[in-house]
Amino acid sequence: MLSIFLRPLAVGACCLAFASASVAQTPAPVSLRAAVDAAWNLSPQARSQQNRLAELDARRNAAASWFSGPPALTLAHRTDSVGTNEGLREMEAEISAPVWSPAVRRATSAQVDAERNTLELQVLRARAALAADVRDLAAQFALARIERDVVQRKLQDTQQLASDIKRRVDAGEVARVDHLQALAAQHQSSTALAQTEAALNRLQAQWAALTGLASVASLEETESTQSQPHPEQLAAEAQLRSAQANLDLTAADRRDPIELGVGMTRERPTAGAGSERSIRFVVRIPFGSESRNAPKLALARAEVDEAQAQAQAAARTVDAERNAAQAELAATRRAQSLAADRETLAREVHGLIAKSYQLGESDLQIRLRAEAERFDAELSHARARVETQRAISKLNQAFGVLP
């Protein structure tokens, strides 16, 4: 039966050695800003940003030209060979292009500028959302690492306790059942260490997938004293301006563009007659209609109303997030203070009970409970410190402060 409890010794020793090797090989933590930059470089938004900016630049250049569209070439040939066949021959060539209306040209330029500003702020919003993911994953990793470290120290203590009790059993000072109970506690610590190592490795893999980095950022931020415009609210307001610019363009663009053209005609009226050449200038002025403009104006107004509602919703959401983040930070700081007091008391109680057990005044169960309480209090305090840092990160995020 003793072999059943001796096996955890080997398991615990292997887990402890593996954990120590992992700590030794863990690279130095990077900054949150570097981690966010790395994650952003891997994101789809970053890869498409340049092409989207190039598209807006092309539209801006098109609005700066004289023509609103590509030119068109018209070729025509006329002959009477099917009918009288008196030798009539006529060749026509004309090139024409639509030109900007001054109002439409200005509105188009304004719309492109608004869309460019919207794109830049949407990129900022996407980067802020990615920063929140990076911060949250860094906090999860910090919590898992703290739990691993505490369980690792607990395993070391249970190993030392089992060794001490073994010597006392051999000396006839305590009963053999105490040694078996100590081995059982060591087995429990070994199992917990294996579980925390697995959780830590899983989070490490998630971090590498998100950022491409092997090193996890340290969650160390100071509470910002300055509030900045929130990217979510800025992006929503920019979208509203873009929708308004689109409405202005739709209102200005009430008809198809005017077309200007120039053509050349070469004509021979009869066989044997000389050819005559002429040049003509063409102006094509389309007229607008209610059936053309009304649907576009209605859609543009609907987009403005929707964008305005989204901007108002974003403002409410940001205010709610800020209030919630401030309340959460206050709560975590109170919890950290209470956890620190609990750890101090648990350490003091554990020390007294450990001496009492050495003197034979209390049994092993009492000592193991005191030891479990001490490690639980230590873990709670460590978690509370990380949760406070996490709350600071959330508060900075809510106030638009990026790493």
Side-chain angles (χ1 to χ4, degrees), residues 152-163:
Q152 184 176 316
R153 289 195 297 272
K154 185 176 182 180
L155 177 59
Q156 292 173 340
D157 283 6
T158 53
Q159 286 176 333
Q160 183 63 44
L161 178 62
S163 178

Side-chain angles (χ1 to χ4, degrees), residues 265-347:
T265 303
R266 180 179 178 181
E267 180 182 4
R268 189 188 68 182
T270 58
S275 298
E276 298 178 0
R277 293 180 176 84
S278 61
I279 296 177
R280 66 173 182 173
F281 298 95
V282 180
V283 178
R284 179 175 176 271
I285 305 177
F287 293 99
S289 65
E290 188 68 19
S291 60
R292 175 189 182 276
N293 299 322
K296 295 182 178 180
L297 283 172
L299 177 60
R301 292 191 182 102
E303 290 176 349
V304 170
D305 292 340
E306 181 180 358
Q308 188 173 15
Q310 289 177 348
Q312 294 170 351
R316 293 193 299 270
T317 301
V318 168
D319 288 340
E321 288 180 356
R322 288 174 176 175
N323 294 333
Q326 289 173 331
E328 182 176 353
L329 179 57
T332 55
R333 282 174 171 165
R334 290 194 300 270
Q336 181 179 346
S337 177
L338 294 173
D341 294 340
R342 179 192 172 192
E343 182 183 3
T344 300
L345 294 174
R347 285 183 179 277

Side-chain angles (χ1 to χ4, degrees), residues 137-147 200 203 216-217 219 382 386:
L137 192 55
Q140 293 181 45
F141 186 86
L143 288 170
R145 183 164 50 192
I146 284 174
E147 186 170 353
L200 201 61
L203 290 171
V216 180
L219 194 68
V386 174

Side-chain angles (χ1 to χ4, degrees), residues 70-106:
L73 176 64
T74 302
L75 298 176
H77 174 67
R78 187 163 68 98
T79 179
D80 64 349
S81 58
V82 177
T84 59
N85 196 20
E86 294 181 355
L88 173 64
R89 301 291 185 270
E90 184 180 81
M91 296 288 296
E92 292 184 359
E94 179 183 313
I95 186 168
S96 61
V99 296
W100 285 110
S101 161
V104 173
R105 186 179 184 181
R106 287 192 300 269

